[in-house]
Coordinates of all heavy atoms in Angstrom, one line a residue:
V13 N 67.4 -4.8 217.5 CA 68.3 -4.0 218.2 C 69.3 -4.8 219.0 O 70.5 -4.6 218.9 CB 67.6 -3.0 219.2 CG1 68.6 -2.2 220.1 CG2 66.8 -2.0 218.4
F14 N 68.8 -5.7 219.8 CA 69.7 -6.5 220.7 C 70.4 -7.6 219.9 O 71.5 -8.0 220.2 CB 69.0 -7.1 221.8 CG 68.4 -6.1 222.8 CD1 67.1 -5.9 222.9 CD2 69.3 -5.3 223.5 CE1 66.6 -4.9 223.8 CE2 68.9 -4.3 224.3 CZ 67.5 -4.1 224.5
G15 N 69.8 -8.1 218.8 CA 70.4 -9.2 218.0 C 71.6 -8.8 217.3 O 72.5 -9.6 216.9
C16 N 71.8 -7.5 217.0 CA 72.9 -7.0 216.2 C 74.1 -6.6 217.1 O 75.1 -6.2 216.6 CB 72.5 -5.8 215.4 SG 71.3 -6.2 214.1
A17 N 73.9 -6.6 218.4 CA 75.0 -6.2 219.3 C 76.1 -7.2 219.2 O 75.9 -8.4 219.2 CB 74.5 -6.1 220.7
S18 N 77.4 -6.7 219.1 CA 78.5 -7.6 219.0 C 79.1 -7.8 220.4 O 79.3 -6.9 221.2 CB 79.6 -7.0 218.1 OG 80.7 -7.7 218.1
T19 N 79.5 -9.1 220.7 CA 80.2 -9.4 221.9 C 81.7 -9.5 221.8 O 82.4 -9.8 222.7 CB 79.6 -10.7 222.5 OG1 79.8 -11.7 221.6 CG2 78.1 -10.5 222.9
E20 N 82.1 -9.4 220.5 CA 83.6 -9.5 220.3 C 84.3 -8.3 220.9 O 83.9 -7.2 220.7 CB 83.8 -9.5 218.7 CG 85.2 -9.9 218.3 CD 85.3 -10.0 216.8 OE1 84.4 -10.7 216.2 OE2 86.2 -9.4 216.3
E21 N 85.4 -8.6 221.6 CA 86.2 -7.6 222.2 C 87.1 -6.9 221.1 O 87.6 -7.5 220.2 CB 87.2 -8.2 223.2 CG 86.5 -8.6 224.5 CD 87.4 -9.1 225.5 OE1 88.5 -8.5 225.6 OE2 87.1 -10.0 226.3
K22 N 87.2 -5.6 221.2 CA 88.0 -4.8 220.3 C 89.4 -5.0 220.7 O 89.8 -5.0 221.9 CB 87.6 -3.3 220.4 CG 86.2 -3.1 219.9 CD 85.9 -1.6 220.0 CE 84.4 -1.4 219.6 NZ 84.0 0.0 219.7
P23 N 90.3 -5.1 219.7 CA 91.7 -5.2 220.0 C 92.2 -4.0 220.7 O 91.8 -2.9 220.4 CB 92.4 -5.4 218.7 CG 91.4 -5.3 217.6 CD 90.0 -5.1 218.3
V24 N 93.1 -4.1 221.7 CA 93.6 -3.0 222.4 C 94.8 -2.5 221.7 O 95.7 -3.2 221.3 CB 94.1 -3.5 223.8 CG1 94.7 -2.3 224.6 CG2 92.9 -4.0 224.6
K25 N 94.9 -1.2 221.5 CA 96.0 -0.6 220.8 C 97.1 -0.3 221.8 O 96.9 0.3 222.8 CB 95.6 0.8 220.2 CG 96.7 1.4 219.4 CD 96.3 2.6 218.7 CE 97.5 3.1 217.9 NZ 97.5 4.5 217.7
L26 N 98.3 -0.9 221.5 CA 99.4 -0.8 222.4 C 100.2 0.5 222.1 O 100.6 0.7 221.0 CB 100.3 -2.0 222.4 CG 99.6 -3.3 222.7 CD1 100.6 -4.5 222.5 CD2 99.1 -3.3 224.1
E27 N 100.4 1.3 223.1 CA 101.1 2.5 222.9 C 102.6 2.3 222.6 O 103.2 3.0 221.9 CB 101.0 3.3 224.2 CG 101.5 4.7 224.2 CD 101.2 5.5 225.5 OE1 100.4 5.0 226.3 OE2 101.7 6.6 225.6
Y28 N 103.2 1.2 223.2 CA 104.6 0.9 223.1 C 104.8 -0.4 222.4 O 105.7 -1.1 222.7 CB 105.3 0.9 224.4 CG 105.2 2.2 225.2 CD1 104.1 2.5 226.0 CD2 106.1 3.2 224.9 CE1 104.1 3.7 226.7 CE2 106.1 4.5 225.6 CZ 105.0 4.7 226.5 OH 104.9 5.9 227.1
A29 N 104.1 -0.7 221.3 CA 104.1 -2.0 220.7 C 105.5 -2.3 220.1 O 106.0 -3.4 220.1 CB 103.1 -2.1 219.6
D30 N 106.2 -1.3 219.6 CA 107.5 -1.5 219.0 C 108.7 -1.5 219.9 O 109.8 -1.7 219.5 CB 107.8 -0.4 217.9 CG 106.8 -0.5 216.8 OD1 106.2 -1.6 216.5 OD2 106.5 0.6 216.2
L31 N 108.4 -1.2 221.2 CA 109.5 -1.2 222.2 C 110.0 -2.6 222.5 O 109.2 -3.5 222.8 CB 109.0 -0.5 223.5 CG 110.0 -0.2 224.6 CD1 111.0 0.8 224.1 CD2 109.2 0.4 225.8
A32 N 111.3 -2.8 222.5 CA 111.9 -4.2 222.8 C 111.8 -4.5 224.3 O 111.9 -3.6 225.1 CB 113.3 -4.2 222.3
V33 N 111.7 -5.7 224.6 CA 111.6 -6.2 226.0 C 113.0 -6.1 226.6 O 114.0 -6.6 226.0 CB 111.1 -7.6 226.1 CG1 111.2 -8.1 227.6 CG2 109.7 -7.7 225.6
S34 N 113.1 -5.5 227.8 CA 114.4 -5.5 228.6 C 114.2 -6.6 229.6 O 113.6 -6.4 230.6 CB 114.6 -4.2 229.3 OG 114.8 -3.1 228.3
Y35 N 114.8 -7.7 229.3 CA 114.7 -8.9 230.2 C 115.5 -8.6 231.5 O 116.6 -7.9 231.5 CB 115.2 -10.2 229.5 CG 114.3 -10.5 228.4 CD1 114.7 -10.2 227.1 CD2 113.1 -11.2 228.6 CE1 113.9 -10.5 226.0 CE2 112.3 -11.5 227.6 CZ 112.7 -11.2 226.3 OH 111.8 -11.5 225.2
N36 N 115.0 -9.1 232.6 CA 115.7 -8.9 233.9 C 115.8 -7.4 234.4 O 116.6 -7.1 235.2 CB 117.1 -9.6 234.0 CG 117.0 -11.0 233.7 OD1 116.0 -11.7 234.1 ND2 117.9 -11.5 232.9
E37 N 115.0 -6.6 233.8 CA 115.0 -5.1 234.1 C 114.7 -4.9 235.6 O 115.4 -4.1 236.3 CB 113.9 -4.4 233.3 CG 113.7 -3.0 233.7 CD 114.9 -2.1 233.3 OE1 115.7 -2.4 232.4 OE2 115.0 -1.0 234.0
M38 N 113.8 -5.7 236.2 CA 113.4 -5.5 237.6 C 114.5 -5.9 238.6 O 114.5 -5.6 239.8 CB 112.1 -6.2 237.9 CG 111.0 -5.7 237.1 SD 110.8 -3.9 237.0 CE 110.3 -3.5 238.7
E39 N 115.6 -6.6 238.1 CA 116.7 -6.9 238.9 C 117.7 -5.8 239.1 O 118.6 -5.9 239.9 CB 117.4 -8.2 238.4 CG 116.5 -9.4 238.5 CD 117.1 -10.6 237.9 OE1 118.3 -10.6 237.5 OE2 116.3 -11.6 237.7
S40 N 117.6 -4.8 238.3 CA 118.6 -3.7 238.3 C 118.3 -2.8 239.6 O 117.2 -2.8 240.1 CB 118.5 -2.8 237.1 OG 117.3 -2.1 237.0
A41 N 119.4 -2.2 240.1 CA 119.4 -1.5 241.3 C 118.3 -0.4 241.4 O 117.8 -0.1 242.4 CB 120.8 -0.9 241.6
K42 N 118.0 0.2 240.2 CA 117.1 1.4 240.2 C 115.7 1.0 240.7 O 114.9 1.9 241.1 CB 117.1 2.1 238.9 CG 116.6 1.2 237.7 CD 116.8 1.9 236.4 CE 116.6 1.0 235.2 NZ 117.0 1.6 234.0
W43 N 115.3 -0.3 240.6 CA 114.0 -0.7 241.0 C 113.9 -1.3 242.4 O 112.9 -1.8 242.8 CB 113.4 -1.6 239.9 CG 113.4 -1.1 238.6 CD1 114.1 -1.5 237.5 CD2 112.6 0.0 238.1 NE1 113.8 -0.7 236.4 CE2 112.9 0.2 236.8 CE3 111.6 0.8 238.7 CZ2 112.3 1.2 236.0 CZ3 111.0 1.8 237.9 CH2 111.4 2.0 236.6
Q44 N 115.0 -1.4 243.1 CA 115.1 -2.1 244.3 C 114.2 -1.5 245.4 O 113.8 -2.2 246.4 CB 116.5 -2.3 244.8 CG 117.4 -3.1 243.9 CD 116.7 -4.5 243.6 OE1 116.4 -5.2 244.5 NE2 116.6 -4.7 242.3
Q45 N 113.9 -0.2 245.3 CA 113.0 0.4 246.3 C 111.5 0.0 246.1 O 110.7 0.3 247.0 CB 113.2 1.9 246.2 CG 114.5 2.4 246.6 CD 114.9 2.0 248.0 OE1 114.2 2.2 249.0 NE2 116.1 1.5 248.2
L46 N 111.2 -0.6 245.0 CA 109.8 -0.9 244.8 C 109.4 -2.2 245.5 O 110.1 -3.2 245.3 CB 109.6 -1.1 243.2 CG 108.2 -1.6 242.8 CD1 107.1 -0.5 243.2 CD2 108.1 -1.9 241.3
E47 N 108.4 -2.1 246.3 CA 107.9 -3.4 247.0 C 107.1 -4.1 246.0 O 106.0 -3.7 245.6 CB 107.1 -3.0 248.2 CG 106.7 -4.2 249.0 CD 105.7 -3.9 250.1 OE1 105.4 -2.7 250.3 OE2 105.2 -4.9 250.7
R48 N 107.6 -5.3 245.6 CA 106.8 -6.1 244.6 C 106.3 -7.3 245.4 O 106.8 -8.4 245.4 CB 107.8 -6.6 243.5 CG 108.3 -5.4 242.7 CD 109.1 -5.8 241.5 NE 110.0 -6.9 241.6 CZ 110.2 -7.8 240.6 NH1 109.5 -7.7 239.5 NH2 111.0 -8.8 240.8
F49 N 105.1 -7.1 245.9 CA 104.4 -8.2 246.7 C 103.8 -9.2 245.7 O 103.4 -8.8 244.6 CB 103.5 -7.6 247.7 CG 102.6 -6.5 247.2 CD1 101.4 -6.8 246.6 CD2 103.0 -5.2 247.3 CE1 100.6 -5.7 246.1 CE2 102.2 -4.1 246.9 CZ 101.0 -4.4 246.2
P50 N 103.6 -10.4 246.2 CA 103.0 -11.4 245.3 C 101.5 -11.2 245.0 O 100.9 -10.5 245.8 CB 103.3 -12.7 246.0 CG 103.5 -12.3 247.4 CD 104.0 -10.9 247.5
A51 N 101.1 -11.8 244.0 CA 99.7 -11.8 243.6 C 98.9 -12.6 244.6 O 99.4 -13.6 245.2 CB 99.4 -12.3 242.2
R52 N 97.7 -12.3 244.9 CA 96.8 -13.1 245.8 C 96.4 -14.3 245.0 O 96.1 -14.3 243.9 CB 95.5 -12.3 246.1 CG 94.6 -13.0 247.1 CD 93.4 -12.1 247.4 NE 93.9 -11.0 248.2 CZ 93.8 -10.9 249.5 NH1 93.2 -11.9 250.2 NH2 94.2 -9.8 250.1
Y53 N 96.6 -15.5 245.7 CA 96.3 -16.7 245.1 C 94.8 -16.8 244.8 O 94.0 -16.6 245.8 CB 96.6 -17.9 246.0 CG 97.1 -19.2 245.4 CD1 98.4 -19.6 245.5 CD2 96.2 -19.9 244.6 CE1 98.8 -20.8 244.8 CE2 96.5 -21.1 244.0 CZ 97.9 -21.5 244.1 OH 98.2 -22.7 243.5
P54 N 94.3 -17.0 243.6 CA 92.9 -16.9 243.3 C 92.1 -18.0 244.1 O 92.5 -19.2 244.1 CB 92.8 -17.2 241.8 CG 94.2 -16.8 241.3 CD 95.1 -17.1 242.4

Side-chain angles (χ1 to χ4, degrees):
V13 170
F14 295 113
C16 294
S18 174
T19 59
E20 190 174 310
E21 288 186 35
K22 295 179 183 176
V24 177
K25 184 177 181 206
L26 299 176
E27 190 175 349
Y28 298 94
D30 295 333
L31 189 62
V33 175
S34 296
Y35 295 98
N36 302 322
E37 174 68 24
M38 299 311 291
E39 293 175 10
S40 66
K42 61 186 168 190
W43 303 111
Q44 296 308 304
Q45 295 300 312
L46 178 65
E47 181 188 0
R48 298 189 318 143
F49 43 88
R52 182 176 294 258
Y53 212 113

